[in-house]
Amino acid sequence: MESYNCLNVRVDKFLWLFANKALEITQEAIEEDNEGFIIRTYQDIETIKKQLESYSKEIEVLMQEKICLEFESQILKNQDWITKYRDSIQPIECEKYYICPPWFAPKEDKINLIIEPALAFGSGHHGSTFGCLEALNSLSLENKRILDVGCGSGILAIAAKKSGGEVWCCDTDEMAVNATKNNAQKNNLILDKVFLGTLDKIANKKGYFDVVVANILADIIVALPLDSYVKDGGVLILSGILEKHTKKVLDKFKNLELLTQNNHEEWVTLTLKKR
């Protein structure tokens, strides 16, 4: 084809949710920037816009906040925009972890996490993902049992597995489960259990895990019995929490001891210990 559709999406809140939704809708790579993201596709732009507008209304109801969503579309002459997209993705370091796309060379002195951005719901750049990696870095995970709830790209599960843990993970989005499996394969790993669904599928594993990590929205965090899957003396890591919702989450898990609270931009990561 001689041309393609280019859709610039600007959103003033919950950018990562909209980027994830765009990945789900198009199943193609997107390029993120500070105020939004760019979709380059041969698909119909109007259909994509309508789906994002509908999703925006759902998020407004869920979060009870007004969202400003804007679009700018154009038809451009074809070029190697996959290469351009790849050039826009840079590796990042978080303590002992080095997160990079497959086309970057690993670092010998780091635990390398190879994450394919075109598949990812988390590449370490987002404040909540970075906060979870910091929390995992602070723990000794060797021979520990770890559960990643809402695994997304699999970045946290892969970090835990490469740190010596027995790792289980789940997501309610089939695309995320597939992304986790694909990224694990790129890291030459076999995760101990990856499944589609939520905690009700492993109800017999309450009190089984040394560490439970959940990088999901605050409203979902408080609706799930995450602490019941942590054994006594174990750790619960929670993120995807906007600063204004911190108290709500802490109130839900008030029977746990707060070990650390890290803030990155507007996102909070909590590390709690089950007594």
Side-chain angles (χ1 to χ4, degrees):
M1 295 185 181
E2 295 184 356
S3 61
Y4 65 93
N5 296 316
C6 181
L7 179 65
N8 285 272
V9 182
R10 294 289 175 264
V11 61
D12 64 339
K13 297 182 181 75
F14 313 117
L15 172 58
W16 67 294
L17 289 176
F18 283 88
N20 288 350
K21 187 64 176 179
L23 283 169
E24 178 186 329
I25 292 169
T26 64
Q27 298 193 31
E28 295 177 332
I30 64 171
E31 180 182 342
E32 294 188 40
D33 58 30
N34 291 332
E35 297 179 351
F37 51 90
I38 302 169
I39 301 172
R40 298 182 177 91
T41 183
Y42 298 121
Q43 299 177 43
D44 180 59
I45 287 293
E46 291 304 316
T47 300
I48 296 171
K49 287 170 60 177
K50 287 178 181 178
Q51 291 183 71
L52 289 174
E53 287 169 344
S54 176
Y55 183 67
S56 180
K57 292 176 182 176
E58 292 177 13
I59 297 300
E60 284 184 336
V61 172
L62 178 64
M63 306 303 290
Q64 297 186 346
E65 291 192 39
K66 182 68 177 175
I67 297 172
C68 179
L69 179 65
E70 298 178 345
F71 302 104
E72 180 182 340
S73 61
Q74 52 189 323
I75 298 174
L76 300 176
K77 288 185 178 181
N78 221 337
Q79 58 178 304
D80 189 0
W81 46 267
I82 294 297
T83 299
K84 183 178 179 182
Y85 165 74
R86 285 187 168 197
D87 290 344
S88 73
I89 303 297
Q90 295 298 314
I92 62 169
E93 292 188 26
C94 180
E95 306 292 345
K96 64 187 176 189
Y97 300 115
Y98 178 68
I99 306 98
C100 64
W103 53 88
F104 276 86
K107 287 196 172 186
E108 292 185 2
D109 59 339
K110 296 286 184 179
I111 295 177
N112 293 278
L113 311 178
I114 301 169
I115 302 296
E116 174 63 74
L119 298 175
F121 295 83
S123 55
H125 293 79
H126 192 271
S128 63
T129 309
F130 195 89
C132 288
L133 288 170
E134 283 184 322
L136 290 174
N137 176 79
S138 70
L139 301 174
S140 174
L141 301 179
E142 189 74 33
N143 298 319
K144 297 294 176 64
R145 297 165 175 165
I146 299 102
L147 173 64
D148 181 7
V149 181
C151 52
S153 68
I155 183 172
L156 302 179
I158 291 166
K161 188 66 180 177
K162 286 198 170 187
S163 300
E166 172 194 327
V167 181
W168 293 38
C169 54
C170 64
D171 204 293
T172 57
D173 189 324
E174 186 174 3
M175 187 177 175
V177 169
N178 290 335
T180 292
K181 291 177 179 178
N182 288 332
N183 281 320
Q185 187 175 35
K186 285 180 171 63
N187 286 271
N188 298 313
L189 290 178
I190 298 176
L191 298 172
D192 296 273
K193 187 175 180 64
V194 184
F195 64 94
L196 179 65
T198 187
L199 297 175
D200 58 343
K201 287 196 171 183
I202 55 167
N204 62 332
K205 292 297 180 181
K206 291 182 177 179
Y208 180 80
F209 297 97
D210 298 281
V211 180
V212 173
V213 56
N215 181 17
I216 48 183
L217 293 176
D219 284 343
I220 301 175
I221 286 173
V222 299
L224 294 175
L226 293 162
D227 53 330
S228 66
Y229 287 81
V230 183
K231 73 177 191 180
D232 290 344
V235 171
L236 178 62
I237 301 169
L238 303 173
S239 197
I241 306 163
L242 288 169
E243 289 177 340
K244 63 182 179 180
H245 297 315
T246 304
K247 184 179 184 302
K248 175 169 62 175
V249 175
L250 288 173
D251 286 346
K252 166 65 187 289
F253 299 103
K254 60 186 177 183
N255 293 329
L256 278 65
E257 176 188 355
L258 177 63
L259 299 178
T260 62
Q261 176 179 327
N262 295 331
N263 292 42
H264 290 283
E265 299 167 348
E266 59 184 343
W267 300 95
V268 175
T269 301
L270 303 172
T271 304
L272 306 107
K273 183 176 182 180
K274 188 172 183 179
R275 299 184 180 93

